[in-house]
Amino acid sequence: DSIITLDLTVNPIYSDSISAAICDGDSYPVGDSLYTTSGVWVTNLITVEGCDSIVTLDLTVNPVYAFDLVESICDGDTYEVGDSVYTTSGTWTTILETVNGCDSIINLDLTVHPVYAENIATEICDGDSYPVGDSLYTTSGTYVTNLSTVEGCDSIITLDLTVNPIYSDSI
């Protein structure tokens, strides 16, 4: 008889399932592999004992959004994007976060149009009139007329009008 004594160790095979989400442009590593697209991916790895270790990855890639806005406001007004408030002309970038934790990039090209204010002091003769916008003024006084520019902003004209009498004398 030959007696053989076998001390056998059966090492386990591991199997793991992972559900994960990343943002577009990012990657998810499993072993030496990097995954960048949505799908179910199976990766075979080897344990330190030389057995299989199977990782099943259910990956969702959430989008990153980018918006380009071209806007205009009047001087003194504000334009808000998220928590950012803009008051000057320029190109501005604001990065917000989507509900999935990914970037939402807002590129704002903002133009600030001027608001005009003009003071006019003038005199006319009694019986004449002085036009400002659609109004005609015929009596002495200070008048404020609000007009609108082609961009829709205020153009404020303050008229200080003096009406001089016409004298008539018979000799």
Side-chain angles (χ1 to χ4, degrees), residues 11 18 36 39 41 51 76 79 81 83 85-86 89 96 112 115 117 135 139-140 149 160:
N11 294 315
I18 301 171
T36 59
W41 306 100
C51 299
Y79 194 89
V81 178
D83 292 336
V85 177
Y86 300 102
S89 293
L96 304 174
V112 178
V115 171
S135 301
T139 57
S140 293
T149 66
D160 184 8

Side-chain angles (χ1 to χ4, degrees), residues 72-130:
S72 63
I73 60 173
C74 298
D75 192 23
D77 291 342
T78 61
Y79 194 89
E80 296 181 23
V81 178
D83 292 336
S84 301
V85 177
Y86 300 102
T87 59
T88 57
S89 293
T91 302
W92 310 100
T93 299
T94 304
I95 299 175
L96 304 174
E97 187 174 296
T98 68
V99 294
N100 297 318
C102 298
D103 288 341
S104 180
I105 302 165
I106 310 296
N107 296 308
L108 172 64
D109 183 1
L110 183 64
T111 301
V112 178
H113 296 290
V115 171
Y116 296 99
E118 185 176 350
N119 295 317
I120 300 172
T122 192
E123 297 179 18
I124 61 172
C125 294
D126 191 21
D128 290 341
S129 62
Y130 193 89

Side-chain angles (χ1 to χ4, degrees), residues 2-143:
S2 287
I3 300 174
I4 298 176
T5 304
L6 174 64
D7 185 9
L8 179 64
T9 302
V10 177
N11 294 315
I13 294 177
Y14 294 100
S15 179
D16 194 12
S17 294
I18 301 171
S19 181
I22 61 173
C23 297
D24 191 21
D26 292 340
S27 60
Y28 195 92
V30 177
D32 291 337
S33 301
L34 292 176
Y35 296 99
T36 59
T37 56
S38 294
V40 177
W41 306 100
V42 178
T43 305
N44 290 315
L45 303 173
I46 303 297
T47 67
V48 292
E49 294 88 16
C51 299
D52 286 340
S53 177
I54 302 168
V55 177
T56 302
L57 172 64
D58 184 359
L59 183 64
T60 300
V61 178
N62 293 309
V64 172
Y65 297 100
F67 300 100
D68 294 324
L69 300 175
V70 177
E71 299 292 336
S72 63
I73 60 173
C74 298
D75 192 23
D77 291 342
T78 61
Y79 194 89
E80 296 181 23
V81 178
D83 292 336
S84 301
V85 177
Y86 300 102
T87 59
T88 57
S89 293
T91 302
W92 310 100
T93 299
T94 304
I95 299 175
L96 304 174
E97 187 174 296
T98 68
V99 294
N100 297 318
C102 298
D103 288 341
S104 180
I105 302 165
I106 310 296
N107 296 308
L108 172 64
D109 183 1
L110 183 64
T111 301
V112 178
H113 296 290
V115 171
Y116 296 99
E118 185 176 350
N119 295 317
I120 300 172
T122 192
E123 297 179 18
I124 61 172
C125 294
D126 191 21
D128 290 341
S129 62
Y130 193 89
V132 177
D134 292 338
S135 301
L136 291 175
Y137 298 99
T138 59
T139 57
S140 293
T142 301
Y143 304 95

